[in-house]
Amino acid sequence: MPSFSWSVWRGLALALLPVTMALEDQASVLEDWRDVWLFRFFLNVLGYATIVVPGYLLIRYFKRIGYLETGRGLCFPVIKACVFGSESKSGPLDDPSAPPRNEAESSSSTRQALKLLFCAVGLQTSYLTWGVLQERVMTRSYGAVEGGAGERFTDSQFLVFMNRILALTVAGLCCALFKQPRHAAPMYKYSFASLSNILSSWCQYEALKYISFPTQVLAKASKVIPVMLMGKMVSRKSYEYWEYFTAALISVGVSLFLLSSAGHKHPSTVTTFSGVVILGGYIVFDSFTSNWQDSLFRYKMSSVQMMFGVNLFSCLFTVGSLLEQGALFQSLAFMARHAEFAFHAVLLSVCSACGQLFIFYTIGQFGAAVFTIIMTLRQAMAILLSCFLYGHAVSVAGGLGIAVVFLALFLRVYARSRMKKSKKPAGPTPVQKFPAGPPWV
């Protein structure tokens, strides 16, 4: 009997050996696939789909049964706000979180100069620190000791989740502390901008694995071109001749920089095909986000309400996808192993949230033109700082390309300010609109 049992167990073990080896091979293949950015991208999208598809079906169901007319009970106000809203599309009120400037009540020139200095220093500090940390987290190892390579953090989606959690908290506090207009838009409409916003942010982090930071900054500066194209398709906008001219100048400058850096073999300046594709994804998603948000502002809402709504869905999508992939606990374990990374991740989110507050205050006090000039200078300083800290090499032709890009950006600011002065609109200053995610970063 013992010999029989031993024979049976040995036979079962031999029979299961190929299955076990096949499972191990599949696990190793899966791990190999996780190193491919396109596979990670589709995993994220599938995670979002597990939330979007049921939500879409529920919205269709409530609209089909006429729930707005027949619904009752405790859930009715929540479902009405999420699916139907108030459906009133009056123009947005003046943003209570960023009151318009009143020239008659403006303070002394010294005080205004101090305010401008405060805004400039706040924006530069927040977003220059943000850019340096972003490159540090995505391109350098943690826990490296002499003779060891250390570990690299690879999950871009977790960083997006961290940023959105803090941005949601900031927006919620602003909504609670400042009086807001009555909310009118159906909540589900924020999900479109939220999806494109988290995908563009993911591409922004992921691209740094394949391209240099200066290349990324210049590519972001060139997003005015796809924004214009998306504006014509989504919002049926028309543009002036100078907008097309400056867009062409930007494309020439970026092309000059990319062609000059193609000959460099330094690892910090190499631009790969994957990096270019991911940057293209970032520009497309970000262009859709801004245009969709612009259409949402037809409802009577403030900028912090927009910020809260988009970041609410962003947190929902990213935490759902991270939990489904098991990546949330892996990232938290990485934070527990490397205190330096935990500090960088938190500081990254703090800089992003503080930067948005400075954006609100700067545009409210000095207008969009001054804000654009400050942030354009920030982009130029970010390139110089990155080259100094991380050793990126820029040739003479590349430097010329950078100069052309920023010249075109300043020309856009100048032409736009001249047009606004020539129009001299009557009545109250229109509300300034703010994007949900960090702009110009």
Side-chain angles (χ1 to χ4, degrees):
M1 185 70 177
S3 60
F4 173 74
S5 300
W6 170 248
S7 300
V8 171
W9 286 114
R10 186 173 59 181
L12 285 173
L14 291 173
L16 291 174
L17 183 60
V19 177
T20 305
M21 293 178 64
L23 290 175
E24 290 178 351
D25 290 340
Q26 289 180 0
S28 63
V29 168
L30 184 61
E31 287 300 320
D32 292 339
W33 272 104
R34 283 183 179 274
D35 293 332
V36 180
W37 70 267
L38 191 59
F39 180 74
R40 293 194 299 272
F41 176 81
F42 280 116
L43 271 184
N44 294 344
V45 171
L46 286 176
Y48 307 148
T50 60
I51 300 172
V52 171
V53 173
Y56 169 77
L57 294 176
L58 281 174
I59 291 169
R60 289 288 301 272
Y61 171 75
F62 286 126
K63 288 187 174 181
R64 189 175 69 249
I65 66 173
Y67 184 82
L68 187 61
E69 291 78 24
T70 61
R72 295 293 182 272
L74 294 176
C75 295
F76 177 75
V78 177
I79 296 174
K80 179 178 181 294
C82 292
V83 179
F84 301 99
S86 70
E87 296 296 344
S88 63
K89 288 189 179 181
S90 57
L93 296 176
D94 289 343
D95 192 344
S97 64
R101 294 164 293 150
N102 189 337
E103 298 297 337
E105 299 176 2
S106 64
S107 54
S108 66
S109 57
T110 303
R111 188 173 179 180
Q112 286 295 94
L114 289 175
K115 279 186 181 180
L116 181 59
L117 181 64
F118 172 73
C119 293
V121 171
L123 287 169
Q124 298 288 355
T125 303
S126 298
Y127 284 122
L128 284 175
T129 306
W130 190 91
V132 169
L133 286 174
Q134 182 188 19
E135 188 169 9
R136 168 67 181 89
V137 169
M138 298 307 300
T139 63
R140 299 296 188 270
S141 300
Y142 287 92
V145 294
E146 190 173 350
E151 285 185 281
R152 280 198 179 187
F153 185 75
T154 58
D155 198 333
S156 302
Q157 187 176 210
F158 179 76
L159 295 176
V160 176
F161 169 68
M162 290 279 292
N163 287 345
R164 297 302 175 265
I165 278 286
L166 197 56
L168 177 67
T169 304
V170 169
L173 288 174
C174 289
C175 288
L177 295 175
F178 299 98
K179 184 180 179 181
Q180 306 293 324
R182 188 178 177 216
H183 191 266
M187 287 296 294
Y188 81 89
K189 290 197 173 184
Y190 292 106
S191 64
F192 296 94
S194 175
L195 273 175
S196 58
N197 182 250
I198 58 180
L199 287 173
S200 67
S201 298
W202 182 89
C203 290
Q204 182 177 238
Y205 284 111
E206 196 74 10
L208 285 176
K209 300 177 183 178
Y210 305 95
I211 62 171
S212 68
F213 184 78
T215 304
Q216 187 191 71
V217 172
L218 282 187
K220 291 176 187 177
S222 68
K223 72 181 181 182
V224 294
I225 303 169
V227 165
M228 289 170 62
L229 294 175
M230 199 71 70
K232 291 187 74 69
M233 292 187 292
V234 176
S235 307
R236 307 297 181 192
K237 291 182 179 179
S238 58
Y239 298 97
E240 301 291 336
Y241 72 92
W242 56 266
E243 293 182 280
Y244 291 107
F245 173 70
T246 52
L249 268 183
I250 289 172
S251 64
V252 169
V254 172
S255 301
L256 189 61
F257 175 83
L258 292 177
L259 290 174
S260 66
S261 62
H264 288 279
K265 300 303 180 184
H266 192 280
S268 65
T269 60
V270 170
T271 299
T272 66
F273 177 75
S274 293
V276 174
V277 173
I278 296 172
L279 266 184
Y282 160 77
I283 292 173
V284 170
F285 290 129
D286 192 69
S287 303
F288 176 84
T289 301
S290 59
N291 281 281
W292 183 264
Q293 287 177 320
D294 189 60
S295 66
L296 270 183
F297 270 112
R298 291 179 298 173
Y299 293 93
K300 186 170 64 176
M301 69 172 66
S302 69
S303 59
V304 292
Q305 286 175 322
M306 171 72 78
M307 181 178 170
F308 182 86
V310 174
N311 282 295
L312 177 65
F313 279 98
S314 296
C315 291
L316 178 65
F317 291 143
T318 51
V319 75
S321 179
L322 286 168
L323 286 172
E324 290 169 10
Q325 298 178 38
L328 179 62
F329 299 108
Q330 292 177 6
S331 298
L332 292 175
F334 191 94
M335 291 182 74
R337 289 195 303 271
H338 304 288
E340 186 185 9
F341 167 76
F343 173 73
H344 288 165
V346 172
L347 186 57
L348 197 68
S349 301
V350 169
C351 289
S352 175
C354 290
Q356 291 186 61
L357 294 179
F358 276 109
I359 288 172
F360 294 169
Y361 185 74
T362 304
I363 297 182
Q365 291 292 321
F366 301 101
V370 172
F371 164 74
T372 304
I373 291 172
I374 294 173
M375 295 307 281
T376 303
L377 290 172
R378 197 278 307 175
Q379 288 179 312
M381 291 176 64
I383 292 178
L384 294 175
L385 190 60
S386 178
C387 291
F388 174 75
L389 292 177
Y390 299 108
H392 301 299
V394 178
S395 66
V396 175
L400 179 61
I402 294 174
V404 169
V405 169
F406 287 105
L407 173 64
L409 291 175
F410 281 116
L411 284 175
R412 288 180 70 87
V413 176
Y414 174 75
R416 187 175 287 115
S417 63
R418 287 293 298 272
M419 283 197 65
K420 286 184 178 180
K421 287 181 180 179
S422 63
K423 287 181 180 179
K424 295 182 181 178
T429 304
V431 65
Q432 301 288 353
K433 301 172 186 178
F434 306 96
W440 291 88
V441 296

